[in-house]
Amino acid sequence: MKRKKITYLLLFMWLTFVAHAQTNDRLYNLFLFTNTDYCVSGDTVWFKVILQNEVEMESNVVHVQLDSPGNNLIADVTKMSSDGKASGYIAVPDSLSTGVYFLTAFINAQRNNLNLDVNGKTLFVYNRFDENVTQFMVPGLKEKIISENLNDQIIIKTDKTTYSKGDKVAVNVEFKLPTNGTQAIINASHIDPLAEEKGGIFQFRVKQSESFIPCFNEKDGVLLSGKIVDENEVPQNGILVFLSIPANPPYFDYYITGKDGDFHFFLKDAKGKAGIFLQTVSDLGKEFSIRVDKNYFEREEKVQLENKILNQKQISFIETAINGSFINKLFNPGFYLQPQTFEMPVSFEVPFYGSAVNRVIPNEFYDLPDFQEISRELLFGVQYRVKDNEVTFRLLNESPPGFFNNEPLRLINGIPVFKNSLFTKLKSTDIDFIDVVSRERIYGDLIFKGVLAVSLNDKSNGWLAEQTNISQFSYDCLQTDRQLPLIKSNGEKLDQPDLRQVFLWENIKNGGAQNFEFNLSDLKGEVEISVEGLTPNNKFFKASKKIAVE
């Protein structure tokens, strides 16, 4: 009896583990769809990611990466999802070589899965300077995910089967299956015969790019991770790291590195391209290197490629695509990149260092030649001392009276400064305003003996060249929303060629019959109208219809 109980217990534990693993697999199995299966280098590819609502409750931030068969990361973006979908775009570098690449979507919470399989969608890229492409290295893979064909349950009808250039196409889509919980996308685009034959969605076993990045559920923000190492690349434990983002008011955070020298900052609601400043603080005065690491997944094995000799139809299509892209860039030079703007909602109206006891605007007074004169004439309670050519600051403590024994937190444009000589040559005409906080300021575990914050008129921060242990870089946070420009009416821009290859790309409401319409471009060829998506039990499906443009 005791042996039977143990057997039943082990069986129950095994079934629970399997059910949990299957649930995790189902929840974490993201599917990525693109508006096109191919592109020319320098183009922008638009994507949509479908994820289960249970996943979105844990993390609503999706990472999308473009990498090569050899695991080289080409580009990546981070996008926030809503109602189980994430939509965005990824810029394909203009210098990218002709070849097949893979687009993959994942969430950071997947890092806790040691045996993780993810879906990778092929993207066939043709370099815009290539001529006469007659052969191509294609994936030699058998693990393609075959979509469930629902042409008998999702009926796609068009008013004709053959069209002329620029014609309007009327589309009717009728669902003859239960659609509760089904998520779908409708797309109409030119067919690349090579991508149609050798491309698709493949499943790969992957590993983490950096094992020290935590399995953190990113919610409405992005995780920035990195390491502090010395000159010998040895990770440094217990080092204080400051993160600053100059803004009005400035953003500030800090982290103490772990045993592997790692640091992590969560930038909540940060969108666009942030100008990040990281710096280390050490009593030893030792110089360190600051390394920021990418969060991405690598396939455990490189993708094996095999050479394919192209047929005439495939060669002609690639040539037309490259020539069309060149002409299109002449008339439409716009290039969809991550905007240079940065948005981050302010948590509090006052700066992180608190309300200034005294704010001085030097422009309201006579011009003064240096910061010593500014301190003496304008800054009450600020003591500027010079001894042995070394400058020190002391602030008056408003309670109790008397000057602090230690120096205050010094800031220039919201960035902590540890070389007081940087203040020396500042003229009153260089300065926008000066905030003085003459009280002890507690920020988390940090205690500042007052704050002296200088905001310059010049926000370029060229003075940082004299600072050690600081790193300045641009960081792509959550991608801001943009809409793919698709619709063109007949007769629009008659003096310019219309070389669009994607005509319809949107989420579709499931159930009943729905109507769509779009205008074809000046390109001839075969166009596929497809409805793709996921069923409630997480199965990939597709229904499609092809029309000819002559």
Side-chain angles (χ1 to χ4, degrees):
M1 182 65 68
K2 186 176 181 180
R3 189 176 300 145
K4 285 184 178 180
K5 287 182 178 180
I6 294 174
T7 302
Y8 289 146
L9 178 61
L10 292 175
L11 179 61
F12 174 76
M13 292 173 64
W14 181 79
L15 291 174
T16 303
F17 172 78
V18 170
H20 180 70
Q22 289 177 343
T23 301
N24 279 342
D25 287 343
R26 181 177 66 84
L27 294 183
Y28 288 156
N29 199 9
L30 309 186
F31 276 83
L32 179 142
F33 304 86
T34 55
N35 67 330
T36 178
D37 296 326
Y38 73 97
C39 72
V40 176
S41 62
D43 287 349
T44 300
V45 176
W46 299 72
F47 63 81
K48 293 181 186 290
V49 179
I50 294 179
L51 61 161
Q52 299 297 308
N53 289 329
E54 293 93 333
V55 174
E56 199 168 55
M57 292 174 63
E58 298 181 18
S59 176
N60 62 352
V61 172
V62 177
H63 296 259
V64 176
Q65 66 182 50
L66 174 67
D67 57 51
S68 71
N71 273 336
N72 295 318
L73 183 66
I74 307 299
D76 64 317
V77 297
T78 310
K79 189 68 183 174
M80 194 158 65
S81 66
S82 177
D83 297 327
K85 297 185 182 71
S87 301
Y89 54 93
I90 193 163
V92 177
D94 192 52
S95 58
L96 196 60
S97 302
T98 295
V100 64
Y101 298 86
F102 292 89
L103 283 160
T104 305
F106 66 93
I107 60 174
N108 194 62
Q110 289 177 288
R111 284 185 163 271
N112 67 351
N113 194 332
L114 298 178
N115 299 308
L116 180 62
D117 292 328
V118 300
N119 301 322
K121 187 180 189 307
T122 57
L123 178 68
F124 286 72
V125 177
Y126 309 119
N127 187 276
R128 65 190 184 97
F129 294 111
D130 277 349
E131 296 180 359
N132 193 27
V133 180
T134 58
Q135 51 189 345
F136 202 96
M137 300 300 293
V138 297
L141 300 171
K142 307 299 181 184
E143 297 82 6
K144 183 186 291 189
I145 297 178
I146 306 299
S147 61
E148 186 176 354
N149 190 322
L150 295 185
N151 281 337
D152 58 336
Q153 300 182 63
I154 301 176
I155 311 301
I156 302 174
K157 298 178 181 179
T158 56
D159 50 340
K160 295 186 294 183
T161 57
T162 303
Y163 294 83
S164 299
K165 297 183 299 181
D167 279 355
K168 178 175 288 187
V169 179
V171 182
N172 175 268
V173 179
E174 183 178 358
F175 286 83
K176 293 187 175 181
L177 74 164
T179 57
N180 290 337
T182 300
Q183 302 188 69
I185 298 164
I186 187 168
N187 173 255
S189 59
H190 273 280
I191 299 173
D192 177 356
L194 176 60
E196 183 183 37
E197 177 186 349
K198 293 295 183 178
I201 299 176
F202 298 86
Q203 195 166 73
F204 300 102
R205 177 63 55 88
V206 296
K207 58 184 179 180
Q208 305 167 11
S209 59
E210 295 290 351
S211 59
F212 71 86
I213 298 178
C215 175
F216 178 78
N217 289 339
E218 292 173 307
K219 189 76 172 178
D220 301 333
V222 293
L223 188 68
L224 187 157
S225 298
K227 281 191 175 186
I228 304 299
V229 297
D230 65 9
E231 58 184 5
N232 298 316
E233 294 295 311
V234 177
Q236 299 296 298
N237 177 37
I239 301 298
L240 181 62
V241 184
F242 286 164
L243 180 147
S244 305
I245 303 178
N248 188 22
Y251 180 85
F252 174 82
D253 202 354
Y254 70 95
Y255 195 96
I256 299 175
T257 59
K259 64 179 181 179
D260 294 323
D262 56 291
F263 61 82
H264 311 281
F265 294 98
F266 184 63
L267 303 178
K268 184 175 174 59
D269 296 321
K271 293 184 178 181
K273 192 177 290 291
I276 301 287
F277 296 85
L278 290 176
Q279 57 189 139
T280 60
V281 183
S282 173
D283 293 335
L284 302 177
K286 188 176 179 181
E287 292 193 17
F288 301 110
S289 294
I290 302 172
R291 192 182 78 196
V292 176
D293 289 297
K294 282 285 189 181
N295 186 358
Y296 68 100
F297 283 152
E298 296 180 347
R299 287 176 290 277
E300 288 190 350
E301 297 181 0
K302 295 181 179 180
V303 177
Q304 298 299 316
L305 301 177
E306 56 188 26
N307 189 45
K308 174 178 172 53
I309 305 300
L310 305 184
N311 59 41
Q312 188 56 48
K313 183 179 181 181
Q314 293 166 339
I315 294 173
S316 298
F317 182 89
I318 294 173
E319 182 180 354
T320 300
I322 292 174
N323 292 336
S325 177
F326 173 76
I327 296 172
N328 194 41
K329 282 181 171 59
L330 291 178
F331 292 97
N332 300 290
F335 188 50
Y336 291 94
L337 288 172
Q338 177 83 304
Q340 299 297 315
T341 56
F342 175 69
E343 304 172 15
M344 192 173 188
V346 178
S347 300
F348 304 99
E349 293 183 359
V350 298
F352 72 91
Y353 51 78
S355 301
V357 174
N358 183 25
R359 169 168 286 194
V360 175
I361 301 177
N363 190 47
E364 297 177 349
F365 303 89
Y366 287 110
D367 293 345
L368 297 171
D370 55 46
F371 203 79
Q372 185 174 24
E373 287 296 315
I374 294 172
S375 302
R376 180 181 299 146
E377 300 293 336
L378 304 180
L379 304 182
F380 173 77
V382 176
Q383 193 175 72
Y384 182 107
R385 294 176 176 176
V386 181
K387 183 178 182 181
D388 298 330
N389 294 323
E390 292 292 330
V391 176
T392 58
F393 290 100
R394 293 291 187 273
L395 262 60
L396 182 67
N397 185 2
E398 64 177 17
S399 178
F403 284 87
F404 287 110
N405 293 326
N406 298 322
E407 288 197 281
L409 170 68
R410 290 91 70 205
L411 303 168
I412 295 181
N413 290 343
I415 304 168
V417 174
F418 300 98
K419 291 183 66 173
N420 292 336
S421 58
L422 294 174
F423 290 88
T424 304
K425 297 180 182 180
L426 291 179
K427 303 185 292 291
S428 60
T429 53
D430 298 328
I431 299 172
D432 181 15
F433 64 84
I434 303 171
D435 278 351
V436 178
V437 180
S438 54
R439 65 174 72 93
E440 191 174 75
R441 174 65 176 160
I442 299 176
Y443 188 85
D445 297 324
L446 305 179
I447 300 177
F448 305 124
K449 301 301 182 179
V451 180
L452 177 64
V454 177
S455 179
L456 302 179
N457 294 315
D458 181 6
K459 307 300 183 184
S460 63
N461 297 310
W463 53 271
L464 284 170
E466 301 181 36
Q467 281 271 81
T468 57
N469 286 342
I470 191 165
S471 177
Q472 175 184 1
F473 58 94
S474 294
Y475 189 76
D476 288 331
C477 300
L478 295 173
Q479 189 179 68
T480 53
D481 293 332
R482 273 189 172 180
Q483 295 296 322
L484 171 61
L486 287 175
I487 306 301
K488 282 191 176 183
S489 60
N490 289 333
E492 182 182 353
K493 293 186 177 180
L494 292 176
D495 58 331
Q496 297 182 11
D498 184 356
L499 302 175
R500 291 173 300 125
Q501 297 173 351
V502 180
F503 313 107
L504 188 62
W505 172 247
E506 60 184 73
N507 299 329
I508 186 172
K509 297 178 181 179
N510 305 309
Q514 298 168 59
N515 296 315
F516 303 88
E517 63 177 29
F518 58 87
N519 296 304
L520 294 167
S521 63
D522 297 333
L523 295 175
K524 296 180 180 180
E526 202 172 25
V527 171
E528 181 181 47
I529 304 167
S530 64
V531 175
E532 297 179 283
L534 291 183
T535 62
N537 58 354
N538 209 30
K539 288 187 176 181
F540 175 46
F541 70 83
K542 180 177 180 179
S544 66
K545 179 178 181 177
K546 296 178 181 178
I547 59 175
V549 183
E550 299 179 348

